[in-house]
Amino acid sequence: PVVLVSVGDGTTDNVFPVTWNLPIRKDPPMVGILSGKRHYSYPFIERTGEFALNIPDASIVDAVLGCGVTSGAKEKDKFERFELTREKASKIKAPLVAEAVANLECRVCQVVDLGASSLLIGQVVAAQAATEHFVDGEWSFDNGLELLHHMGGRRFTTSAAELIGKA
């Protein structure tokens, strides 16, 4: 799914969507995101070594799109502009997005240089999720959870139903 990445140094912050994200491993828990080096938020991650992954659902699709088409260099407070609520993180300086169904606080443990962008691998140092949507360590779609998937441009789709394959 698409995630909202939040960054900050305790004084200034920003939030931006990332489609290219992935789980790396379970123990210790690690995730990866791809970020362009010329993006406004990249220097925050370089300076602090931290970021948060905030997992949005369909209810905030307009905010996700808005955060993606608006640069933090031009819009100083995307949280306010797109009506997102900052929530204090427990282990990192970057704020969390309160409207997200889950939040992962991450510390960068490896950077893979890919030229114009970098694969940032972060160890998850704290995590929280809405209990109605995350049960026994797995996503639960029984209560109407619709995670967002970006299809390009302004188009999104959701993971509204669980399918169980037979092999």
Side-chain angles (χ1 to χ4, degrees):
V2 66
V3 297
L4 282 172
V5 175
S6 52
V7 297
D9 57 15
T11 303
T12 308
D13 57 37
N14 194 41
V15 60
F16 63 102
V18 171
T19 300
W20 295 94
N21 65 86
L22 67 153
I24 301 284
R25 63 184 300 173
K26 285 187 176 185
D27 189 20
M30 292 182 184
V31 295
I33 61 170
L34 191 67
S35 180
K37 293 177 186 175
R38 294 193 307 172
H39 288 184
Y40 175 76
S41 294
Y42 192 82
F44 281 96
I45 299 170
E46 281 186 311
R47 267 193 325 272
T48 66
E50 301 174 340
F51 62 89
L53 291 190
N54 303 277
I55 302 172
D57 67 1
S59 70
I60 60 171
V61 66
D62 292 337
V64 171
L65 178 62
C67 286
V69 298
T70 305
S71 172
K74 294 179 181 172
E75 180 64 51
K76 294 304 176 194
D77 192 346
K78 288 200 273 183
F79 279 90
E80 182 178 330
R81 165 120 185 247
F82 299 107
E83 299 179 359
L84 296 171
T85 309
R86 287 175 181 85
E87 186 173 291
K88 185 168 176 43
S90 64
K91 305 269 185 184
I92 64 172
K93 291 180 182 175
L96 305 178
V97 176
E99 291 79 6
V101 296
N103 315 91
L104 305 175
E105 299 177 39
C106 305
R107 288 209 176 98
V108 176
C109 58
Q110 186 174 353
V111 177
V112 180
D113 187 344
L114 300 171
S117 58
S118 291
L119 173 63
L120 303 167
I121 299 173
Q123 183 167 348
V124 178
V125 295
Q128 62 184 26
T131 56
E132 68 270 21
H133 297 310
F134 203 75
V135 179
D136 296 326
E138 295 185 0
W139 289 110
S140 172
F141 294 89
D142 295 341
N143 293 318
L145 176 61
E146 293 182 312
L147 297 177
L148 287 174
H149 301 270
H150 188 235
M151 297 176 59
R154 297 179 178 273
R155 297 175 52 231
F156 293 83
T157 189
T158 64
S159 52
E162 179 179 359
L163 303 175
I164 300 174
K166 297 177 185 172

